[in-house]
Amino acid sequence: MRASVLTGPQTIELLERPVPETRPDEVLVRVGSVGVCGSDVHYYAHGRIGSMIVDGPLVLGHEVGGTIGAVGAAVDPRRVGERVALEPQRPCRRCRQCKTGHLNLCPEMEFFATPPIDGAFCDYVTLPEDFAHRVPDSLSDAASGLIEPLSVGIWANRKGGTAAGSRVFITGAGPIGAMVALSARAMGATETIVSDPVESRRQRITELASARTVDPVAGFDADEIEADVFLECSGSTPALLDGLKALRPGGAAVMVGHGDEQVTLPVQDIQVRELTLTGIFRYVDTWPTAISLAASGMVDLDALVTAQFGLDEVEAALNADADPMSMKSVVVVNGV
Ligand SMILES: [Zn+2]
Ligand SMILES: [Zn+2]
């Protein structure tokens, strides 16, 4: 099969690789479309994300929609031909985190496109069958792949406690900020306020997610926002501090973007206003919700695709994502 491989710093090569072997409890998926994620761009450009370091050839890509091509011995053969959205993770299922419902925190986790585990910029991937989720034919392969970043948005809002009538403040109007804003609305938020320094991105998020926007450079009165939930999607420390100010007493802040390693926080304010501050790492059990939101039309994932590339153009797709106006680039591996 063809595989687009990160073989060195900022070097992608299209190589021939054997089709992976399907274990008894797995499905073999013919990859249709793969969304480009900020983490793919980061591994390509910098060779690492924090302690996760690329130290050998690596296939990137983890936002995958495709079709089941074959199944392992323990899987119902009627699944062959099923269109699926991939939840790109293999937890151990045996450790304390897995046993208590926190599989995203499993220390033995094998996650697509996280070194040394290969991702999906290739013709075929294998996955435990219960992590290949059936999608209706109304969802395109591209939309099926974008169920993954939508899952991040759903998990962030669940963590923050977004509910009917919530006022949600979001910092960062990039792809993840957009997924978080769309999820907030779908989960009942009646007011979504998004902060971003780039005017064209503010305009776009207003159209996409009916959000009100503020400009953090011009400045805004954070105290007047009084949000129930604050979702930080930029990784910027000033944005994190703005958002804490924008919370009502008792509100919850969730760090979604990759921020600085060390930050000085207003701990007295967090204490006396009883704020909650936490983060998210990937997600647990979000695919059924995300697929329902996309299939029902509550979230239009195809509208987020700003560019399409072929499997021989992965490098161009990764570079396109550096443009601040790029929302989602997708690599069409096997078109229908
Ligand atoms: Zn991603
Ligand atoms: Zn585990």
Side-chain angles (χ1 to χ4, degrees), residues 173 178 181-182 185 192 194 199-213 298 300 303-304 306 325 327:
L182 290 166
R185 278 184 62 80
T192 314
V194 181
E199 140 106 88
S200 49
R201 290 178 16 139
R202 290 198 300 274
Q203 210 171 329
R204 183 174 63 182
I205 197 84
T206 303
E207 287 159 19
L208 272 175
S210 313
R212 178 154 77 81
T213 60
M298 283 182 87
D300 181 0
L304 302 177
T306 40
M325 279 312 282
M327 180 60 88

Side-chain angles (χ1 to χ4, degrees), residues 169 193-199 202 213-221 242:
F169 181 60
I193 304 140
V194 181
S195 166
D196 194 283
V198 181
E199 140 106 88
R202 290 198 300 274
T213 60
V214 293
D215 177 359
V217 176
F220 61 96
D221 201 346
D242 275 351

Side-chain angles (χ1 to χ4, degrees), residues 35-237:
V36 175
C37 177
S39 68
D40 297 317
V41 177
H42 215 89
Y43 283 126
Y44 166 72
H46 307 291
R48 65 186 295 165
I49 297 178
S51 59
M52 296 176 282
I53 298 164
V54 182
D55 53 8
L58 183 70
V59 178
L60 297 169
H62 62 260
E63 303 179 353
V64 196
T67 305
I68 294 180
V71 298
V75 179
D76 185 343
R78 284 172 299 186
R79 291 201 70 186
V80 172
E82 197 176 286
R83 296 186 57 246
V84 287
L86 301 198
E87 181 173 347
Q89 48 187 358
R90 262 194 195 86
C92 81
R93 304 181 195 252
R94 308 187 66 88
C95 72
R96 189 166 173 206
Q97 277 68 34
C98 285
K99 290 284 194 199
T100 54
H102 308 285
L103 65 87
N104 59 323
L105 306 178
C106 171
E108 306 294 323
M109 174 64 81
E110 294 182 358
F111 194 92
F112 275 37
T114 302
I117 307 300
D118 280 332
F121 287 144
C122 58
D123 283 317
Y124 291 96
V125 293
T126 57
L127 194 74
E129 71 142 339
D130 54 330
F131 286 76
H133 301 267
R134 179 183 209 126
V135 295
D137 282 338
S138 59
L139 281 197
S140 66
D141 278 351
S144 302
L146 300 186
I147 292 294
E148 196 273 345
L150 180 58
S151 280
V152 174
I154 291 166
W155 189 241
N157 278 282
R158 279 194 192 154
K159 201 82 169 174
T162 302
S166 291
R167 180 182 297 164
V168 178
F169 181 60
I170 296 165
T171 47
I176 287 296
M179 292 291 183
V180 164
L182 290 166
S183 305
R185 278 184 62 80
M187 290 165 75
T190 41
E191 226 185 319
T192 314
I193 304 140
V194 181
S195 166
D196 194 283
V198 181
E199 140 106 88
S200 49
R201 290 178 16 139
R202 290 198 300 274
Q203 210 171 329
R204 183 174 63 182
I205 197 84
T206 303
E207 287 159 19
L208 272 175
S210 313
R212 178 154 77 81
T213 60
V214 293
D215 177 359
V217 176
F220 61 96
D221 201 346
D223 301 321
E224 290 202 335
I225 290 182
E226 300 210 312
D228 302 293
V229 181
F230 161 46
L231 305 167
E232 202 305 294
C233 302
S234 71
S236 139
T237 295

